[in-house]
Amino acid sequence: MRKLKLQVQMTVDGYIAGPNGEMDWLIYDWDEELKKYVTQLTEPVDCIVLGRKLAQGFIPHWASHPELEGADKFNSTKKVVFTKALDQSEWDHTVLAKGNLVDEITTLKKQDGQDIIVYGGATFVSALIKQGLIDEYHLFINPTAIGTGMPIFRELNGKQPLTLVKSTAFDCGIVVLHYELKNS
């Protein structure tokens, strides 16, 4: 079965954005080792899943900036956007998922192919976490605390045990925590 991986930027105090979606705390000047980590993470991916809110900024951003590092991968990879609001996709290589989250993700995982990656947004990722659908967590911890914002673990009803696979500190200041969901 295919794995669903989460790659997300976070603050040290656990937020993926400020209270109004601010991302001004992100480190953009990544060192070569972190870029290599991301390449290794995304190479075996042939599907990206996104919530509608993030997709509406994410997909057009990469499409309008094909010169950016990684744009080829984002633009050419199949995308599945989870939405209740949209009736049709306006983007290339993108389909809409409008059904039950657990059923849709389970169906994607059972399909032939490589791994699946999710980038967000906060509400969508929270729902995936709550349902235990994420197999691997790649938490990019930025050396900043913001005090309040958008968390992704708030919706949990109880403990969700994770196994640390590896933690890696990069020269740019980001620490990547790689966890897997511990199946009981």
Side-chain angles (χ1 to χ4, degrees):
M1 188 158 14
R2 300 163 83 183
K3 289 183 187 176
L4 178 58
K5 302 175 180 180
L6 170 65
Q7 178 188 333
V8 68
Q9 301 268 351
M10 296 182 79
T11 62
V12 295
D13 50 349
Y15 299 107
I16 67 166
N20 300 306
E22 301 91 345
M23 305 292 285
D24 56 351
W25 48 268
L26 286 171
I27 290 183
Y28 291 101
D29 190 18
W30 289 3
D31 59 74
E32 290 305 312
E33 289 302 309
L34 182 53
K35 291 176 186 177
K36 188 186 315 181
Y37 182 96
V38 171
T39 299
Q40 291 170 346
L41 176 63
T42 58
E43 271 179 5
V45 166
D46 67 359
C47 181
I48 299 170
V49 295
L50 303 159
R52 176 196 50 87
K53 291 178 192 172
L54 180 66
Q56 288 179 311
F58 181 92
I59 296 172
H61 168 77
W62 289 105
S64 64
H65 296 288
E67 76 283 357
L68 293 176
E69 193 169 356
D72 285 344
K73 179 69 173 180
F74 292 122
N75 290 329
S76 64
T77 301
K78 173 187 173 186
K79 289 167 276 302
V80 178
V81 175
F82 284 75
T83 181
K84 301 285 187 214
L86 300 176
D87 292 322
Q88 64 184 34
S89 171
E90 56 193 69
W91 309 294
D92 293 339
H93 307 293
T94 305
V95 297
L96 302 180
K98 298 176 77 64
N100 174 276
L101 179 65
V102 173
D103 295 341
E104 294 272 5
I105 293 291
T106 302
T107 298
L108 281 173
K109 284 182 170 186
K110 288 181 178 178
Q111 292 174 353
D112 288 337
Q114 296 179 291
D115 291 337
I116 306 163
I117 198 161
V118 58
Y119 296 107
T123 303
F124 180 60
V125 168
S126 294
L128 293 169
I129 292 169
K130 180 179 182 178
Q131 296 299 323
L133 295 169
I134 296 175
D135 301 297
E136 288 185 15
Y137 293 78
H138 297 266
L139 308 176
F140 287 50
I141 309 301
N142 285 247
T144 304
I146 60 174
T148 187
M150 297 179 181
I152 56 173
F153 294 103
R154 182 183 312 174
E155 300 299 319
L156 284 174
N157 295 325
K159 286 193 284 185
Q160 191 173 86
L162 304 173
T163 300
L164 178 65
V165 175
K166 187 174 184 180
S167 64
T168 310
F170 294 94
D171 288 342
C172 64
I174 291 175
V175 175
V176 176
L177 302 176
H178 174 191
Y179 291 99
E180 289 181 351
L181 182 63
K182 187 184 287 186
N183 294 322
S184 24

PDB file of all heavy atoms in Angstrom, residues 72 115 159:
ATOM      1  N   ASP A  72       9.075  21.964 -11.404  1.00  0.00           N
ATOM      2  CA  ASP A  72       8.768  20.884 -12.355  1.00  0.00           C
ATOM      3  C   ASP A  72       8.034  19.744 -11.658  1.00  0.00           C
ATOM      4  O   ASP A  72       7.051  19.228 -12.174  1.00  0.00           O
ATOM      5  CB  ASP A  72      10.040  20.341 -13.013  1.00  0.00           C
ATOM      6  CG  ASP A  72      10.604  21.274 -14.060  1.00  0.00           C
ATOM      7  OD1 ASP A  72       9.881  22.185 -14.512  1.00  0.00           O
ATOM      8  OD2 ASP A  72      11.781  21.092 -14.429  1.00  0.00           O
ATOM      9  N   ASP A 115       4.491   6.893  -3.559  1.00  0.00           N
ATOM     10  CA  ASP A 115       3.976   7.538  -2.355  1.00  0.00           C
ATOM     11  C   ASP A 115       3.149   8.778  -2.677  1.00  0.00           C
ATOM     12  O   ASP A 115       3.211   9.331  -3.774  1.00  0.00           O
ATOM     13  CB  ASP A 115       5.132   7.921  -1.427  1.00  0.00           C
ATOM     14  CG  ASP A 115       5.805   6.706  -0.814  1.00  0.00           C
ATOM     15  OD1 ASP A 115       5.170   5.633  -0.736  1.00  0.00           O
ATOM     16  OD2 ASP A 115       6.970   6.823  -0.413  1.00  0.00           O
ATOM     17  N   LYS A 159      -4.276  10.310  22.513  1.00  0.00           N
ATOM     18  CA  LYS A 159      -2.890  10.172  22.074  1.00  0.00           C
ATOM     19  C   LYS A 159      -2.820   9.533  20.698  1.00  0.00           C
ATOM     20  O   LYS A 159      -3.629   8.667  20.355  1.00  0.00           O
ATOM     21  CB  LYS A 159      -2.106   9.306  23.060  1.00  0.00           C
ATOM     22  CG  LYS A 159      -1.790  10.000  24.356  1.00  0.00           C
ATOM     23  CD  LYS A 159      -0.750   9.235  25.148  1.00  0.00           C
ATOM     24  CE  LYS A 159      -1.376   8.035  25.795  1.00  0.00           C
ATOM     25  NZ  LYS A 159      -0.450   7.322  26.679  1.00  0.00           N
TER      26      LYS A 159
END
